[in-house]
Amino acid sequence: MGIRKLSIICTFLLLVSVVEARPISWSGGSTLMYKSNSMFTSYYYHYSPSYKYSIGLEYMDSKHFEKEYINLRTTYLVDRKNTKLSQRNLYITGGISNESKDNFHYGIHGDWETRRIFTSFAYINKHTQTKDYSENEFQLGVAPYIGDYNDLHTWLMLKTKKDTINNNWETYPFIKLFKGDFLIEIGTKNSHWDVHYMVRF
Amino acid sequence: MYKLLLPLLILQTNILFASSTHDHDSDNHAYMHKNIDGSNTVIDQNKYNIFVKDLSNVKIAIVDVKGMVCDFCARGIEKTFYDDKSVEKVNVDLGAGKVLVAYSNTKKIDVDEIKNIFLINGQTATNVIIKEL
């Protein structure tokens, strides 16, 4: 890759700040996710009436706030650019909790990917009864080999994120594997496992 | 005489060159199809032959697709096509950005319907070629 291309990607990453990869399925598709990290464990089901948006319910077990609640979440595709070799997406997202009208979140996230490179950003504002905070996240990934359709696909990823509770950037590697309708991401930071599992149907 | 032969020679060269870009190229196993809009669609003859190996009496739609960069994102294309009972086989080629769809011969293929399937899956179909077996 040329220095010019690399600098463009780095600039893109700096300028923009993904909650989760592929937050919307195909029209009529459903997605089931499990996510666990040092802050929370969640189970999230969403349905996509159209490729433009998804709506779903998430059971959240917040380890930090020691609370359990349910979020009603939605994601809308604001913009998508398809080219022969790449796809770029920009989403807005939001959710409200059954716990309280003061417990909600909203944000923006986007990604750009080719068959070799994946980049993404996210900026989410979270409001709770006791504390308001925001989360920033950037991801950069490289596929060590280019798999065909139905093959096992592997991505070596680097994630850096910061929330205004801990107020420091944490950067850690993780691996993303997917085959067919199944995707799993596994990473580790500060002796905590960061696991994300997804199935589409 | 020279003035008469030269244009004929140029014309003949053009015809030969044009036919060589439209016909099967045995060196790279690529078949180049000239589209109505002047663009070219390159079809990998080996992949095409493997796809049609067990098929007969079908219509094949060869679709050029933009935005089909990820296997996980392309799953919906295959699922949506198989919802149509007249679809016998689907092949997704991420590398070439192409999808091959084999319909039973009784199917009246609507190119706009095919393009719409890609649209509702979030990709863009730029060109569709129909071949009959």
Side-chain angles (χ1 to χ4, degrees):
Chain A
M1 182 192 303
I3 291 172
R4 183 181 159 82
K5 274 188 181 173
L6 192 62
S7 64
I8 289 170
I9 291 164
C10 292
T11 305
F12 174 79
L13 279 169
L14 286 169
L15 286 173
V16 296
S17 111
V18 143
V19 181
E20 56 248 345
R22 288 114 197 163
I24 305 175
S25 184
W26 59 82
S27 299
S30 292
T31 304
L32 195 60
M33 292 184 204
Y34 165 81
K35 203 169 187 178
S36 179
N37 58 34
S38 60
M39 298 281 285
F40 63 84
T41 296
S42 86
Y43 297 86
Y44 178 35
Y45 165 82
H46 73 66
Y47 175 73
S48 300
S50 135
Y51 77 96
K52 295 282 282 185
Y53 70 100
S54 66
I55 188 161
L57 288 173
E58 177 183 42
Y59 166 77
M60 175 71 80
D61 178 5
S62 173
K63 295 166 192 168
H64 186 84
F65 294 108
E66 296 181 335
K67 284 181 178 176
E68 296 174 18
Y69 50 91
I70 291 172
N71 286 325
L72 175 65
R73 292 177 54 178
T74 185
T75 303
Y76 181 77
L77 175 65
V78 177
D79 184 57
R80 169 170 286 168
K81 173 76 174 174
N82 286 325
T83 75
K84 194 78 179 172
L85 301 174
S86 70
Q87 187 181 74
R88 166 177 59 74
N89 299 298
L90 186 66
Y91 305 94
I92 51 172
T93 188
I96 52 171
S97 162
N98 69 331
E99 193 185 26
S100 155
K101 64 179 175 55
D102 295 323
N103 196 343
F104 61 94
H105 72 268
Y106 58 90
I108 183 168
H109 54 119
D111 57 65
W112 176 82
E113 67 178 305
T114 67
R115 297 190 70 209
R116 179 69 74 182
I117 298 167
F118 176 89
T119 63
S120 73
F121 75 95
Y123 177 76
I124 307 292
N125 262 312
K126 295 191 174 182
H127 296 260
T128 69
Q129 284 170 293
T130 53
K131 195 173 179 72
D132 295 345
Y133 65 102
S134 63
E135 292 177 347
N136 269 299
E137 182 182 300
F138 299 93
Q139 291 185 27
L140 176 64
V142 175
Y145 63 91
I146 304 290
D148 285 331
Y149 192 66
N150 288 327
D151 284 351
L152 172 69
H153 297 263
T154 304
W155 286 83
L156 305 176
M157 307 287 296
L158 197 63
K159 183 188 286 191
T160 183
K161 64 182 186 182
K162 177 188 174 184
D163 60 63
T164 51
I165 297 174
N166 295 315
N167 212 29
N168 63 310
W169 287 97
E170 292 177 307
T171 303
Y172 58 99
F174 68 100
I175 189 165
K176 180 160 66 176
L177 305 166
F178 58 90
K179 179 174 171 53
D181 296 315
F182 300 93
L183 180 150
I184 188 165
E185 294 177 354
I186 302 173
T188 180
K189 68 170 193 321
N190 302 333
S191 71
H192 288 287
W193 286 99
D194 203 334
V195 180
H196 183 197
Y197 176 75
M198 188 191 293
V199 59
R200 278 189 170 164
F201 50 96
Chain B
M1 186 65 179
Y2 177 77
K3 284 181 180 175
L4 183 66
L5 281 175
L6 189 61
L8 280 173
L9 186 64
I10 291 169
L11 182 64
Q12 178 71 11
T13 309
N14 282 343
I15 290 168
L16 282 171
F17 180 75
S19 59
S20 72
T21 58
H22 284 76
D23 292 338
H24 175 249
D25 179 344
S26 59
D27 290 328
N28 60 14
H29 302 284
Y31 178 91
M32 194 174 283
H33 179 93
K34 196 82 173 173
N35 302 317
I36 297 168
D37 64 359
S39 62
N40 289 318
T41 295
V42 178
I43 301 162
D44 186 311
Q45 195 65 42
N46 286 338
K47 288 180 180 175
Y48 181 78
N49 289 343
I50 291 166
F51 180 73
V52 300
K53 190 179 172 186
D54 303 319
L55 297 171
S56 61
N57 294 318
V58 291
K59 292 175 182 170
I60 315 283
I62 303 164
V63 190
D64 275 314
V65 189
K66 280 185 176 176
M68 199 172 62
V69 293
C70 149
D71 183 312
F72 200 65
C73 317
R75 310 308 300 183
I77 295 168
E78 193 178 31
K79 290 181 197 299
T80 312
F81 274 111
Y82 277 127
D83 285 342
D84 183 341
K85 300 291 179 204
S86 66
V87 169
E88 295 190 6
K89 195 174 179 183
V90 179
N91 176 268
V92 176
D93 186 344
L94 297 171
K98 280 191 178 12
V99 175
L100 304 181
V101 187
Y103 290 93
S104 61
N105 241 338
T106 52
K107 170 81 174 181
K108 189 180 175 189
I109 296 179
D110 181 346
V111 170
D112 289 335
E113 181 186 313
I114 292 173
K115 287 188 172 182
N116 190 53
I117 287 174
F118 287 91
L119 182 67
I120 65 171
N121 280 282
Q123 284 93 17
T124 312
T126 55
N127 192 62
V128 183
I129 298 167
I130 311 294
K131 292 163 98 52
E132 288 196 35
L133 273 189

